[in-house]
Amino acid sequence: MTPIDYINDNFDRIKEDYKELLAIPSISTDPAYAHDVLRAANWLAAKMREIGLMPELIAMPEGRHPVVMGTWDGAGPDAKTVLIYCHYDVQPASIEDGWHTEPFTPTEVGDRIYARGATDSKIHVMANLSAVEALLANGGCPVNIKLVFEGEEESGGETISALVDQHPERMRADICVISDGSILAPEQPSIIYGLRGIVTMELHIDGPQADLHSGHWGGAVHNPAQALAEIIAKLHNDDGSVAVPGFYDDVRALDDSEREAMRANTDWLAEEYGTLVNPPTEWGEPGYSIHERTGARPTLEINGISGGYTGAGFKTVLPSHAMAKISCRLVPDQDPEDIIRKVSGYIAQLTPPTVRSRITDLDYGRPALLLAREGSAIQAAAAAYETAWGKPVIFERAGGSVPIAYDLEKISQDMALLSFSYKGGGAHSINEHALVPMLYKGIITAITFLQAIAE
Amino acid sequence: MTPIDYINDNFDRIKEDYKELLAIPSISTDPAYAHDVLRAANWLAAKMREIGLMPELIAMPEGRHPVVMGTWDGAGPDAKTVLIYCHYDVQPASIEDGWHTEPFTPTEVGDRIYARGATDSKIHVMANLSAVEALLANGGCPVNIKLVFEGEEESGGETISALVDQHPERMRADICVISDGSILAPEQPSIIYGLRGIVTMELHIDGPQADLHSGHWGGAVHNPAQALAEIIAKLHNDDGSVAVPGFYDDVRALDDSEREAMRANTDWLAEEYGTLVNPPTEWGEPGYSIHERTGARPTLEINGISGGYTGAGFKTVLPSHAMAKISCRLVPDQDPEDIIRKVSGYIAQLTPPTVRSRITDLDYGRPALLLAREGSAIQAAAAAYETAWGKPVIFERAGGSVPIAYDLEKISQDMALLSFSYKGGGAHSINEHALVPMLYKGIITAITFLQAIAE
């Protein structure tokens, strides 16, 4: 039987396995779910053993969520070794956020499967596991395999960084695949060759020692929620560009051919934009297309804001404190430390003498990454997508971060991202879902990739 | 025995009664505490009956918290009738907010009693009840009494408004006393003759249909938390004045003598300001003293702000929605409807085409109030304070609202505010407390007032 025939025979069972994995709330960012993250890790290790891989749970530093690693070296010492990275942890989710179904009760409706983690990123875990299963069950795999499934992609990724740095021999590979993220649209495969970096921080504004009565003191005390808004408002210019002095200094300019290619590929984004954003009035740095704004330009975002009384009814307080969570998405060649220095310096400069500001929870994150489009991994990936989807891929610069790329780059720069999700899948949002046909095509892509890369 | 001797003999017991009342969490704004509000009402009715008043619980409209009314007409039809208003409901409180003691476990430390409601406003309930008790137990009271204790001052005050409007005969009185608020400082009695009005509203900013991944979309979508901050930042000018067009149009100017008196009395405020506000850098409308800013000038305050993810860790969302609770303090002759129209109109004008704004939870509140300093009630109050405190009062315009004043004005404009709290008492904030000597002096003031007003 060919590996693809095997998948056709086993697809219904694979789908059920996928739902079993989705039912485990492996939320890595909330310590209350640590047991569930471990439960997911054990589920994966059992599955690896079943299909012929040697599984290991690796948790270092102590107390962090384990990496699940499955190795197979049956292709022999002369064959290439391919390391395939996925992550099995998920973002927090609660039905109260506005989900139509329970986030951890996988629900199939038409060709969609709804669940937290469906698209980000258990579809990738399942597709790659199933591809390896199909190859090993039907004559073996032409390359040696290291499946590396991370359990804390959404919460720091310390374990895998430590593993790469301290045990490079365990992670040695000729080719690295990162299976995460999303392609441009369900019917349009794409390969991401650029990723934005990220830094995050909290901005706190402190005013009075305690909340004050807004009647007694309103008009004579600078309100910290107002002061926070005044500072945030100055972080962007009126045209949508970031106002932090020097923010764009180190941004690598796009060459004309790349700009042209990016602008040519904005239709997919514009269509999706129209369904997500209401009103669909465009916003952002002037002179750039949506693709450039999200892929090749840096940003400063307010991820959360809070202060004062926000419960039911009215409490006429003058709050003592207000807070905003801020992140910056970075592009080549911005340096995370430099950006944090510039943003925090500008905030200090914007802080009026009537309140105090503090920057806390600094995460220096990572710089942006740009891969060579001519590498063997990217070329094999392009061929595999074309086989599975029946049409050529589009090359894309993506807006998100894939932290692991910086670690895997140390192992091999012959690297490709293989994504089987689409952007409308609700990653980090409500009603997250995967498309069943994309799970199927993803498995075919992963099989074809492993066959093509061996040559 | 004189009424004052009676108080000296009974003060320890009165203090224990006060703590019993403070232990009842009569939070009117949260339906979960409706039973406790009723429990406090019954406690007060029992106490009224005990000291010789005829108590009634009046709850109209249905489902609201009852007014507790205690009447005594033993002074006869030719004597004046004095209506004394207090409120027995309190603001929400939780030890997690930063209290040093459980808010509903009254805790005496030195000459302080810590508890939610200690200063706002159960000290007034207790002082007036005890004054009437002392008079009735020692030869009777020279005026007829209507004690009117409201149970929803912190949450709308519908019942008492309906009572005044629909049953004016029940509320008929020659003199009205509102016992609430605070004097300038523990050793400095003051009489409030001006109160600011208030309007409240919620401002909602809606953007994408759901929270988006800030990596995928950051840079191409106007972030609602940012847009909210940008709108809020434009509601004030850089100098601290309100930027809403026409906001100050109807503000009645202070005459020179009143301005001079107000400026002369800012030391108390400045001292307190220094203990509450850190850094104690002055803020507010240029050209006005703290007393004027808080008593005679209108404001626009952000009472709360929220949006996006604000829990532990980082969730790099681009929020779909953000919200701010906004209130305006009004002065004579600003009209609440006009101010709401101006503020909401300005916000609509400030809203960029990239997001939508909504104003909800509009409360038209009430206009400001200014009482004649020459009225018999204010004159008797001034004399009573001087007896109890041993020094002359300062006349003050206060920053807060006393909604009931607008209702009681319909009964009699011969009205005075009698306050036995001080501004450092933590009203609407954490570690609320009353000063025991002020409870004592408050009772003496209330007794003396009732004796003086009879003449």
Side-chain angles (χ1 to χ4, degrees):
Chain A
M1 203 177 342
T2 68
I4 291 175
D5 288 339
Y6 176 89
I7 293 302
N8 292 338
D9 285 357
N10 284 276
F11 190 67
D12 284 344
R13 193 259 307 151
I14 289 168
K15 211 168 64 176
E16 291 313 307
D17 286 351
Y18 174 49
K19 289 184 196 167
E20 234 181 86
L21 179 59
L22 289 171
I24 307 175
S26 47
I27 301 168
S28 60
T29 195
D30 183 343
Y33 290 87
H35 174 75
D36 292 300
V37 178
L38 186 59
R39 199 149 58 88
N42 280 308
W43 188 96
L44 291 167
K47 179 61 66 179
M48 286 173 173
R49 189 181 306 278
E50 199 181 306
I51 67 171
L53 298 170
M54 164 75 81
E56 279 175 284
L57 262 58
I58 309 167
M60 55 175 290
E62 226 173 309
R64 302 292 305 181
H65 303 298
V67 166
V68 188
M69 189 160 170
T71 50
W72 183 80
D73 54 11
D78 295 333
K80 289 178 184 168
T81 296
V82 177
L83 185 156
I84 301 174
Y85 163 92
C86 307
H87 72 87
Y88 66 91
D89 63 322
V90 301
Q91 284 272 315
S94 157
I95 196 159
E96 287 79 33
D97 298 338
W99 285 67
H100 298 141
T101 59
E102 280 291 346
F104 296 103
T105 303
T107 307
E108 194 166 352
V109 182
D111 64 358
R112 293 177 169 200
I113 293 173
Y114 286 90
R116 170 56 90 219
T119 199
D120 182 18
S121 189
K122 288 174 177 170
I123 189 174
H124 299 105
V125 170
M126 214 57 220
N128 287 288
L129 258 179
S130 303
V132 172
E133 174 187 343
L135 287 164
L136 296 187
N138 295 282
C141 184
V143 292
N144 296 310
I145 295 289
K146 291 183 178 174
L147 287 185
V148 176
F149 295 161
E150 185 186 11
E152 49 187 22
E153 194 267 350
E154 309 287 7
S155 66
E158 287 178 33
T159 301
I160 197 144
S161 297
L163 193 53
V164 172
D165 287 342
Q166 295 167 33
H167 299 282
E169 76 293 349
R170 301 278 301 268
M171 302 288 276
R172 202 202 59 72
D174 301 295
I175 312 284
C176 289
V177 171
I178 296 167
S179 202
D180 195 9
S182 46
I183 59 173
L184 270 181
E187 303 298 331
Q188 180 55 62
S190 59
I191 291 180
I192 291 168
Y193 66 98
L195 292 168
R196 291 199 286 194
I198 189 169
V199 297
T200 60
M201 65 195 89
E202 283 186 11
L203 165 58
H204 295 263
I205 302 295
D206 298 305
Q209 312 284 6
D211 289 355
L212 300 178
H213 189 299
S214 74
H216 292 175
W217 291 107
V221 176
H222 199 178
N223 181 315
Q226 177 190 330
L228 176 65
E230 288 164 349
I231 290 171
I232 289 174
K234 289 179 182 144
L235 298 179
H236 287 83
N237 297 309
D238 287 348
D239 65 7
S241 59
V242 177
V244 176
F247 190 76
Y248 296 102
D249 279 359
D250 297 328
V251 171
R252 192 192 303 174
L254 291 163
D255 66 37
D256 287 347
S257 74
E258 197 177 356
R259 277 204 87 170
E260 203 175 313
M262 291 186 82
R263 281 161 181 263
N265 293 324
T266 57
D267 290 354
W268 302 104
L269 279 166
E271 193 183 320
E272 213 184 322
Y273 194 86
T275 66
L276 295 172
V277 182
N278 177 3
T281 315
E282 276 203 33
W283 182 91
E285 247 194 303
Y288 292 94
S289 64
I290 298 184
H291 192 174
E292 292 165 297
R293 283 172 179 165
T294 57
R297 301 297 297 173
T299 70
L300 186 154
E301 290 291 337
I302 309 304
N303 304 113
I305 189 166
S306 70
Y309 183 74
T310 56
F314 243 87
K315 196 171 165 189
T316 48
V317 291
L318 197 164
S320 64
H321 168 256
M323 183 275 289
K325 297 202 183 225
I326 298 177
S327 61
C328 293
R329 298 282 171 174
L330 310 180
V331 298
D333 296 309
Q334 289 180 300
D335 171 46
E337 275 192 49
D338 177 64
I339 290 300
I340 283 197
R341 201 162 42 236
K342 284 171 174 165
V343 171
S344 57
Y346 187 49
I347 287 170
Q349 184 189 323
L350 292 176
T351 304
T354 43
V355 295
R356 288 157 292 140
S357 68
R358 283 179 289 134
I359 305 268
T360 69
D361 295 81
L362 273 175
D363 186 336
Y364 287 85
R366 59 203 71 88
L369 184 78
L370 212 53
L371 298 173
R373 277 168 282 179
E374 306 74 31
S376 77
I378 287 190
Q379 290 302 314
Y385 272 123
E386 193 159 347
T387 300
W389 258 265
K391 63 198 292 189
V393 298
I394 285 174
F395 285 94
E396 191 194 358
R397 279 172 75 153
S401 279
V402 180
I404 187 63
Y406 302 92
D407 294 301
L408 299 191
E409 208 189 11
K410 298 174 194 163
I411 299 167
S412 171
Q413 289 176 28
D414 194 352
M415 192 181 340
L417 276 85
L418 278 188
S419 303
F420 312 131
S421 293
Y422 80 116
K423 288 192 180 177
H428 290 220
S429 184
I430 58 170
N431 299 318
E432 179 174 350
H433 61 275
L435 300 183
V436 175
M438 291 187 76
L439 174 60
Y440 177 80
K441 287 178 194 165
I443 300 171
I444 306 305
T445 306
I447 291 172
T448 316
F449 175 84
L450 290 172
Q451 289 169 331
I453 200 77
E455 286 159 17
Chain B
M1 200 174 348
T2 69
I4 290 175
D5 289 339
Y6 177 88
I7 293 301
N8 293 338
D9 286 356
N10 285 276
F11 190 67
D12 285 343
R13 192 260 308 150
I14 289 168
K15 212 169 63 177
E16 291 312 308
D17 286 350
Y18 174 48
K19 289 184 197 168
E20 235 180 85
L21 180 59
L22 288 172
I24 307 175
S26 47
I27 302 167
S28 60
T29 194
D30 183 344
Y33 291 87
H35 174 75
D36 293 299
V37 179
L38 186 60
R39 198 148 59 89
N42 280 309
W43 188 96
L44 290 167
K47 180 62 63 181
M48 286 174 174
R49 189 179 306 277
E50 198 180 307
I51 67 173
L53 298 170
M54 163 74 81
E56 280 174 283
L57 262 58
I58 308 167
M60 54 174 295
E62 224 173 311
R64 304 290 306 179
H65 303 299
V67 166
V68 188
M69 188 158 171
T71 51
W72 182 81
D73 54 12
D78 295 334
K80 289 179 185 169
T81 296
V82 177
L83 184 155
I84 302 175
Y85 164 92
C86 307
H87 71 89
Y88 67 91
D89 64 321
V90 302
Q91 283 272 316
S94 160
I95 195 158
E96 285 80 32
D97 298 338
W99 285 67
H100 298 141
T101 59
E102 279 291 346
F104 295 104
T105 303
T107 308
E108 195 166 353
V109 181
D111 63 358
R112 293 178 169 198
I113 294 174
Y114 286 89
R116 169 57 88 220
T119 198
D120 180 21
S121 186
K122 287 173 176 170
I123 189 173
H124 299 106
V125 169
M126 214 57 220
N128 287 290
L129 258 180
S130 304
V132 172
E133 173 186 345
L135 287 163
L136 297 187
N138 296 282
C141 184
V143 292
N144 297 310
I145 294 289
K146 292 183 177 172
L147 287 185
V148 176
F149 295 161
E150 186 187 9
E152 49 187 22
E153 194 266 349
E154 308 287 7
S155 66
E158 289 178 30
T159 301
I160 197 143
S161 296
L163 193 53
V164 172
D165 286 342
Q166 296 166 33
H167 300 281
E169 77 292 351
R170 302 279 300 269
M171 302 288 276
R172 201 203 59 72
D174 301 296
I175 313 281
C176 288
V177 171
I178 297 167
S179 201
D180 195 11
S182 46
I183 60 174
L184 270 181
E187 303 298 331
Q188 179 55 63
S190 59
I191 292 180
I192 291 168
Y193 66 99
L195 291 168
R196 292 198 287 193
I198 188 169
V199 295
T200 59
M201 66 194 88
E202 281 186 12
L203 165 58
H204 295 263
I205 302 295
D206 297 305
Q209 311 286 6
D211 288 357
L212 300 178
H213 188 300
S214 75
H216 292 176
W217 291 106
V221 176
H222 200 178
N223 181 315
Q226 177 191 331
L228 175 65
E230 289 163 348
I231 290 171
I232 289 173
K234 290 179 182 147
L235 298 178
H236 286 83
N237 297 309
D238 286 349
D239 65 7
S241 59
V242 176
V244 176
F247 190 77
Y248 295 101
D249 279 358
D250 298 327
V251 171
R252 193 191 303 173
L254 292 164
D255 66 38
D256 287 349
S257 74
E258 196 176 356
R259 278 204 86 170
E260 203 174 314
M262 290 187 81
R263 281 160 182 267
N265 292 322
T266 58
D267 290 355
W268 303 104
L269 278 166
E271 193 183 321
E272 213 184 321
Y273 194 86
T275 66
L276 294 172
V277 182
N278 178 2
T281 315
E282 276 204 33
W283 182 91
E285 247 193 303
Y288 292 94
S289 64
I290 297 185
H291 192 173
E292 292 166 298
R293 285 172 178 164
T294 57
R297 300 297 297 174
T299 70
L300 186 154
E301 289 290 338
I302 308 303
N303 304 113
I305 189 166
S306 70
Y309 183 74
T310 55
F314 241 88
K315 196 172 163 186
T316 48
V317 290
L318 197 164
S320 64
H321 169 257
M323 184 274 290
K325 296 201 185 226
I326 298 176
S327 61
C328 292
R329 299 283 169 174
L330 310 180
V331 297
D333 298 307
Q334 289 180 301
D335 171 48
E337 276 192 47
D338 177 64
I339 290 300
I340 283 197
R341 202 162 41 234
K342 283 170 174 165
V343 172
S344 56
Y346 187 49
I347 286 171
Q349 185 189 324
L350 292 176
T351 304
T354 43
V355 294
R356 287 156 292 141
S357 68
R358 282 178 291 135
I359 305 269
T360 69
D361 296 80
L362 273 174
D363 187 336
Y364 287 83
R366 60 204 72 89
L369 184 80
L370 212 54
L371 298 173
R373 277 168 281 181
E374 306 75 31
S376 77
I378 287 190
Q379 291 301 315
Y385 272 122
E386 193 156 351
T387 301
W389 258 265
K391 62 196 296 189
V393 299
I394 285 175
F395 286 93
E396 190 194 359
R397 279 172 73 153
S401 279
V402 181
I404 188 63
Y406 302 92
D407 295 302
L408 299 191
E409 208 189 11
K410 298 174 193 163
I411 299 168
S412 171
Q413 288 177 29
D414 194 352
M415 193 180 341
L417 276 85
L418 278 188
S419 303
F420 312 131
S421 292
Y422 80 116
K423 288 193 182 178
H428 291 220
S429 185
I430 57 171
N431 298 317
E432 179 174 350
H433 62 275
L435 300 182
V436 175
M438 290 187 76
L439 174 62
Y440 177 80
K441 289 178 193 164
I443 301 171
I444 306 305
T445 306
I447 291 171
T448 316
F449 175 84
L450 290 171
Q451 290 168 331
I453 201 75
E455 286 160 16

Coordinates of all heavy atoms in Angstrom, one line a residue, chain B residues 109-150:
Chain B
V109 N -9.1 50.7 66.1 CA -7.7 50.9 66.3 C -7.5 52.3 66.8 O -7.7 53.2 66.0 CB -6.9 50.6 65.0 CG1 -5.4 50.7 65.3 CG2 -7.2 49.2 64.5
G110 N -7.0 52.5 68.0 CA -6.9 53.9 68.5 C -8.2 54.6 68.5 O -9.2 54.0 68.9
D111 N -8.3 55.8 67.9 CA -9.6 56.4 67.9 C -10.3 56.2 66.5 O -11.2 57.0 66.2 CB -9.5 57.9 68.3 CG -8.6 58.7 67.3 OD1 -8.1 58.0 66.3 OD2 -8.5 59.9 67.5
R112 N -9.9 55.2 65.8 CA -10.5 54.9 64.5 C -11.3 53.6 64.6 O -11.0 52.7 65.2 CB -9.5 54.8 63.4 CG -8.7 56.0 63.2 CD -7.7 55.8 62.1 NE -7.1 57.1 61.6 CZ -6.5 57.2 60.5 NH1 -6.2 56.2 59.7 NH2 -6.0 58.4 60.2
I113 N -12.4 53.6 63.8 CA -13.2 52.4 63.6 C -13.2 52.2 62.1 O -13.7 53.0 61.3 CB -14.6 52.5 64.1 CG1 -14.6 52.6 65.7 CG2 -15.4 51.3 63.7 CD1 -15.9 52.8 66.3
Y114 N -12.5 51.1 61.7 CA -12.4 50.7 60.3 C -13.6 49.8 59.9 O -13.8 48.8 60.5 CB -11.1 49.9 60.0 CG -9.9 50.8 60.0 CD1 -9.2 51.1 61.2 CD2 -9.4 51.4 58.9 CE1 -8.0 51.9 61.2 CE2 -8.3 52.3 58.9 CZ -7.6 52.5 60.0 OH -6.5 53.3 60.0
A115 N -14.2 50.2 58.8 CA -15.3 49.3 58.2 C -15.8 50.0 57.0 O -15.8 51.3 56.9 CB -16.4 49.0 59.2
R116 N -16.2 49.3 56.0 CA -16.9 49.9 54.8 C -18.2 50.5 55.4 O -19.0 49.9 56.2 CB -17.3 48.8 53.8 CG -18.3 49.3 52.7 CD -17.8 50.5 51.9 NE -16.9 50.2 50.8 CZ -15.8 51.0 50.5 NH1 -15.5 52.0 51.2 NH2 -15.1 50.7 49.4
G117 N -18.5 51.8 55.0 CA -19.6 52.5 55.5 C -19.4 53.3 56.8 O -20.3 54.0 57.2
A118 N -18.2 53.1 57.4 CA -18.0 53.8 58.7 C -18.1 55.3 58.5 O -18.8 56.0 59.3 CB -16.6 53.5 59.2
T119 N -17.5 55.8 57.4 CA -17.6 57.3 57.2 C -18.7 57.6 56.2 O -19.3 58.7 56.3 CB -16.2 57.8 56.7 OG1 -16.1 59.2 56.9 CG2 -15.9 57.4 55.3
D120 N -19.0 56.7 55.3 CA -20.0 57.0 54.2 C -21.0 55.9 54.2 O -20.9 54.9 53.5 CB -19.3 57.1 52.9 CG -20.2 57.4 51.7 OD1 -21.3 57.8 52.0 OD2 -19.8 57.1 50.6
S121 N -22.0 55.9 55.1 CA -22.4 57.1 55.9 C -23.0 56.7 57.2 O -23.8 57.5 57.8 CB -23.4 57.9 55.0 OG -23.6 59.2 55.5
K122 N -22.7 55.5 57.7 CA -23.4 55.0 58.9 C -23.1 55.8 60.2 O -23.8 55.8 61.1 CB -23.1 53.5 59.1 CG -23.8 52.7 58.0 CD -23.4 51.2 58.1 CE -24.2 50.4 57.1 NZ -23.7 49.0 56.9
I123 N -21.9 56.6 60.1 CA -21.7 57.5 61.3 C -22.8 58.5 61.4 O -23.2 58.9 62.5 CB -20.3 58.2 61.1 CG1 -20.0 59.0 62.4 CG2 -20.3 59.1 59.9 CD1 -18.6 59.6 62.5
H124 N -23.4 58.9 60.3 CA -24.5 59.9 60.3 C -25.8 59.3 60.8 O -26.5 59.9 61.5 CB -24.6 60.6 58.9 CG -23.4 61.3 58.5 ND1 -22.5 60.8 57.5 CD2 -22.8 62.4 58.9 CE1 -21.5 61.6 57.4 NE2 -21.7 62.6 58.2
V125 N -26.0 58.1 60.3 CA -27.2 57.3 60.8 C -27.1 57.2 62.3 O -28.1 57.6 63.0 CB -27.2 55.9 60.2 CG1 -28.3 55.0 60.8 CG2 -27.4 56.0 58.7
M126 N -26.0 56.8 62.8 CA -25.9 56.6 64.3 C -25.9 57.9 65.1 O -26.5 57.9 66.2 CB -24.5 55.9 64.5 CG -24.5 54.9 65.6 SD -25.8 53.6 65.4 CE -26.3 53.5 67.1
A127 N -25.3 58.9 64.6 CA -25.2 60.2 65.3 C -26.6 60.8 65.5 O -27.0 61.2 66.5 CB -24.3 61.2 64.6
N128 N -27.4 60.7 64.4 CA -28.8 61.3 64.4 C -29.7 60.5 65.2 O -30.5 61.0 66.0 CB -29.3 61.6 63.0 CG -28.5 62.8 62.4 OD1 -28.7 63.9 62.7 ND2 -27.6 62.5 61.4
L129 N -29.6 59.1 65.1 CA -30.5 58.3 65.9 C -30.2 58.5 67.4 O -31.1 58.6 68.2 CB -30.1 56.8 65.6 CG -31.0 56.0 64.7 CD1 -30.4 54.6 64.6 CD2 -32.4 55.9 65.2
S130 N -28.9 58.6 67.7 CA -28.5 58.8 69.1 C -28.9 60.2 69.7 O -29.3 60.3 70.8 CB -27.0 58.6 69.3 OG -26.6 57.3 68.8
A131 N -28.9 61.2 68.8 CA -29.3 62.5 69.3 C -30.8 62.5 69.6 O -31.2 63.0 70.6 CB -29.0 63.5 68.2
V132 N -31.6 61.9 68.7 CA -33.0 61.8 69.0 C -33.3 61.0 70.2 O -34.1 61.3 71.1 CB -33.8 61.2 67.7 CG1 -35.2 60.9 68.0 CG2 -33.6 62.2 66.5
E133 N -32.6 59.9 70.4 CA -32.7 59.0 71.5 C -32.5 59.8 72.8 O -33.3 59.8 73.8 CB -31.7 57.8 71.5 CG -31.7 57.0 72.7 CD -30.6 55.9 72.7 OE1 -30.0 55.6 71.6 OE2 -30.3 55.4 73.8
A134 N -31.4 60.6 72.8 CA -31.0 61.4 74.0 C -32.1 62.4 74.3 O -32.4 62.6 75.5 CB -29.7 62.1 73.8
L135 N -32.7 63.0 73.3 CA -33.7 64.0 73.6 C -35.0 63.4 74.1 O -35.6 63.8 75.1 CB -34.0 64.8 72.3 CG -32.9 65.8 71.9 CD1 -33.1 66.3 70.4 CD2 -32.9 67.1 72.8
L136 N -35.4 62.3 73.4 CA -36.7 61.6 73.8 C -36.6 61.0 75.2 O -37.5 61.0 75.9 CB -37.1 60.6 72.8 CG -37.4 61.1 71.4 CD1 -38.0 60.0 70.5 CD2 -38.4 62.3 71.4
A137 N -35.4 60.6 75.5 CA -35.2 59.9 76.8 C -35.1 60.9 78.0 O -35.0 60.6 79.1 CB -34.0 59.0 76.8
N138 N -35.0 62.2 77.6 CA -34.7 63.2 78.7 C -35.6 64.5 78.4 O -35.1 65.6 78.2 CB -33.2 63.6 78.6 CG -32.3 62.5 79.0 OD1 -32.2 62.2 80.2 ND2 -31.8 61.8 78.0
G139 N -36.9 64.2 78.5 CA -37.8 65.3 78.4 C -38.4 65.6 77.1 O -39.2 66.6 76.9
G140 N -38.1 64.9 76.1 CA -38.7 65.1 74.7 C -37.9 66.0 73.9 O -36.9 66.6 74.3
C141 N -38.4 66.1 72.7 CA -37.7 66.9 71.6 C -38.5 68.1 71.3 O -39.7 68.1 71.3 CB -37.6 66.0 70.4 SG -36.6 66.7 69.0
P142 N -37.9 69.3 71.1 CA -38.7 70.5 70.9 C -39.3 70.6 69.5 O -40.0 71.5 69.2 CB -37.6 71.6 71.1 CG -36.3 71.0 70.8 CD -36.4 69.6 71.2
V143 N -38.9 69.7 68.6 CA -39.5 69.7 67.3 C -40.0 68.3 66.9 O -39.5 67.3 67.5 CB -38.5 70.1 66.2 CG1 -38.1 71.6 66.3 CG2 -37.2 69.2 66.3
N144 N -41.0 68.2 66.0 CA -41.4 66.9 65.5 C -40.3 66.3 64.6 O -39.6 67.1 64.0 CB -42.7 67.0 64.8 CG -43.8 67.4 65.7 OD1 -44.0 66.9 66.8 ND2 -44.5 68.5 65.3
I145 N -40.2 65.0 64.6 CA -39.0 64.4 63.9 C -39.5 63.4 62.8 O -40.4 62.6 63.0 CB -38.2 63.6 64.9 CG1 -37.5 64.5 66.0 CG2 -37.1 62.7 64.2 CD1 -36.4 65.4 65.4
K146 N -38.9 63.5 61.7 CA -39.0 62.5 60.7 C -37.5 62.0 60.3 O -36.8 62.7 59.6 CB -39.7 63.0 59.4 CG -41.2 63.3 59.6 CD -41.9 63.7 58.4 CE -43.4 63.9 58.7 NZ -44.1 64.5 57.6
L147 N -37.1 60.9 60.8 CA -35.8 60.3 60.4 C -36.1 59.5 59.1 O -37.0 58.6 59.1 CB -35.3 59.4 61.5 CG -34.7 60.0 62.7 CD1 -34.1 58.9 63.6 CD2 -33.7 61.1 62.4
V148 N -35.4 59.8 58.1 CA -35.5 59.2 56.8 C -34.2 58.6 56.4 O -33.3 59.3 56.0 CB -36.1 60.2 55.7 CG1 -36.2 59.5 54.4 CG2 -37.4 60.7 56.2
F149 N -34.1 57.2 56.5 CA -32.8 56.6 56.1 C -33.0 55.8 54.8 O -33.7 54.8 54.7 CB -32.4 55.6 57.3 CG -32.1 56.3 58.6 CD1 -32.1 55.6 59.8 CD2 -31.8 57.6 58.7 CE1 -31.9 56.2 61.0 CE2 -31.6 58.3 59.9 CZ -31.6 57.5 61.0
E150 N -32.2 56.2 53.8 CA -32.3 55.7 52.5 C -31.4 54.4 52.4 O -30.3 54.4 53.0 CB -31.9 56.7 51.5 CG -32.1 56.2 50.0 CD -31.5 57.2 49.0 OE1 -30.8 58.1 49.3 OE2 -31.8 56.9 47.8

